Protein backbone atom coordinates (compact mmCIF):
# COMPACT_ATOMS: atom_id res chain seq x y z
CA UNK A 1 0.00 0.00 0.00
CA UNK A 2 1.36 3.43 -0.95
CA UNK A 3 1.86 6.00 1.82
CA UNK A 4 -0.73 8.29 0.18
CA UNK A 5 -3.38 5.57 0.54
CA UNK A 6 -2.72 4.93 4.23
CA UNK A 7 -4.84 6.35 7.04
CA UNK A 8 -3.01 9.15 8.86
CA UNK A 9 -2.98 9.75 12.63
CA UNK A 10 -1.45 12.36 14.92
CA UNK A 11 -0.83 11.02 18.43
CA UNK A 12 1.30 12.03 21.41
CA UNK A 13 4.03 9.64 22.46
CA UNK A 14 2.33 9.29 25.84
CA UNK A 15 -0.89 8.05 24.15
CA UNK A 16 0.61 5.40 21.84
CA UNK A 17 -1.08 2.03 21.82
CA UNK A 18 1.03 -0.95 22.87
CA UNK A 19 1.28 -2.08 19.23
CA UNK A 20 2.55 1.29 17.94
CA UNK A 21 4.81 1.74 20.97
CA UNK A 22 6.46 -1.59 20.12
CA UNK A 23 7.06 -0.39 16.54
CA UNK A 24 8.40 2.93 17.87
CA UNK A 25 10.78 1.11 20.24
CA UNK A 26 11.94 -1.16 17.44
CA UNK A 27 12.68 1.83 15.19
CA UNK A 28 14.27 3.86 18.01
CA UNK A 29 15.67 1.31 20.51
CA UNK A 30 17.90 3.81 22.33
CA UNK A 31 15.24 6.51 22.60
CA UNK A 32 16.00 10.23 22.29
CA UNK A 33 19.45 9.85 20.75
CA UNK A 34 18.03 7.64 18.01
CA UNK A 35 15.04 9.73 17.00
CA UNK A 36 16.57 13.21 17.31
CA UNK A 37 17.81 13.21 13.67
CA UNK A 38 14.27 12.32 12.48
CA UNK A 39 12.54 14.96 14.61
CA UNK A 40 10.60 17.45 12.49
CA UNK A 41 8.86 20.68 13.48
CA UNK A 42 5.24 21.11 12.38
CA UNK A 43 3.20 24.30 12.62
CA UNK A 44 1.99 26.53 13.99
CA UNK A 45 -1.27 26.08 12.08
CA UNK A 46 -4.76 27.51 12.11
CA UNK A 47 -7.49 24.86 12.23
CA UNK A 48 -9.59 25.47 9.10
CA UNK A 49 -12.81 24.32 10.81
CA UNK A 50 -12.60 26.01 14.21
CA UNK A 51 -10.18 28.82 13.37
CA UNK A 52 -8.21 27.95 16.51
CA UNK A 53 -4.44 28.33 16.48
CA UNK A 54 -2.60 25.02 16.78
CA UNK A 55 0.85 25.60 18.30
CA UNK A 56 4.00 24.20 16.72
CA UNK A 57 5.05 20.70 17.76
CA UNK A 58 7.84 18.23 17.06
CA UNK A 59 7.18 14.72 15.79
CA UNK A 60 8.59 11.61 14.14
CA UNK A 61 6.80 9.33 11.67
CA UNK A 62 5.97 5.68 12.28
CA UNK A 63 4.46 3.57 9.47
CA UNK A 64 2.58 0.30 9.54
CA UNK A 65 1.16 -1.63 6.57
CA UNK A 66 -2.09 0.34 6.71
CA UNK A 67 -1.40 3.54 8.70
CA UNK A 68 1.02 6.44 9.12
CA UNK A 69 1.44 7.88 12.62
CA UNK A 70 2.85 11.32 13.33
CA UNK A 71 4.09 10.79 16.90
CA UNK A 72 4.32 14.05 18.83
CA UNK A 73 7.41 14.35 21.02
CA UNK A 74 7.51 16.85 23.87
CA UNK A 75 10.34 19.33 23.44
CA UNK A 76 10.94 22.03 26.00
CA UNK A 77 10.65 25.51 24.52
CA UNK A 78 14.07 26.41 25.91
CA UNK A 79 15.60 23.44 24.07
CA UNK A 80 13.89 23.83 20.67
CA UNK A 81 16.46 26.25 19.25
CA UNK A 82 19.30 24.02 20.47
CA UNK A 83 17.70 21.04 18.77
CA UNK A 84 17.25 22.96 15.52
CA UNK A 85 20.90 24.07 15.58
CA UNK A 86 21.97 20.48 16.27
CA UNK A 87 19.79 19.17 13.44
CA UNK A 88 21.37 21.71 11.10
CA UNK A 89 24.83 20.57 12.21
CA UNK A 90 25.79 23.81 13.92
CA UNK A 91 26.60 22.19 17.27
CA UNK A 92 28.40 19.06 18.32
CA UNK A 93 26.14 16.21 19.50
Amino acid sequence: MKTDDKKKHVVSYENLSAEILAIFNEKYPRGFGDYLPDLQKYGPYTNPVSGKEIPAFYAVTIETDTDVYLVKIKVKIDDAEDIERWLEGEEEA
Side-chain angles (χ1 to χ4, degrees):
M1 180 178 281
K2 296 184 335 185
T3 299
D4 291 343
D5 298 333
K6 294 181 179 185
K7 188 171 180 183
K8 294 167 181 67
H9 309 270
V10 178
V11 62
S12 295
Y13 175 81
E14 295 80 12
N15 296 329
L16 288 177
S17 68
E19 175 188 3
I20 303 306
L21 183 59
I23 295 168
F24 184 94
N25 289 335
E26 185 176 316
K27 185 173 180 178
Y28 303 113
R30 294 184 308 241
F32 187 77
D34 276 354
Y35 66 71
L36 191 57
D38 293 342
L39 204 60
Q40 296 289 318
K41 182 178 180 180
Y42 296 89
Y45 298 104
T46 301
N47 183 311
V49 176
S50 69
K52 289 179 71 176
E53 181 73 16
I54 299 169
F57 62 92
Y58 289 84
V60 295
T61 303
I62 301 293
E63 277 194 57
T64 67
D65 292 338
T66 59
D67 300 282
V68 177
Y69 293 86
L70 197 59
V71 180
K72 294 166 62 172
I73 306 293
K74 287 187 178 181
V75 175
K76 292 181 182 180
I77 301 284
D78 296 339
D79 297 337
E81 289 180 3
D82 292 339
I83 290 171
E84 286 179 12
R85 282 194 299 272
W86 184 86
L87 287 171
E88 293 169 0
E90 295 178 16
E91 289 187 5
E92 295 295 320

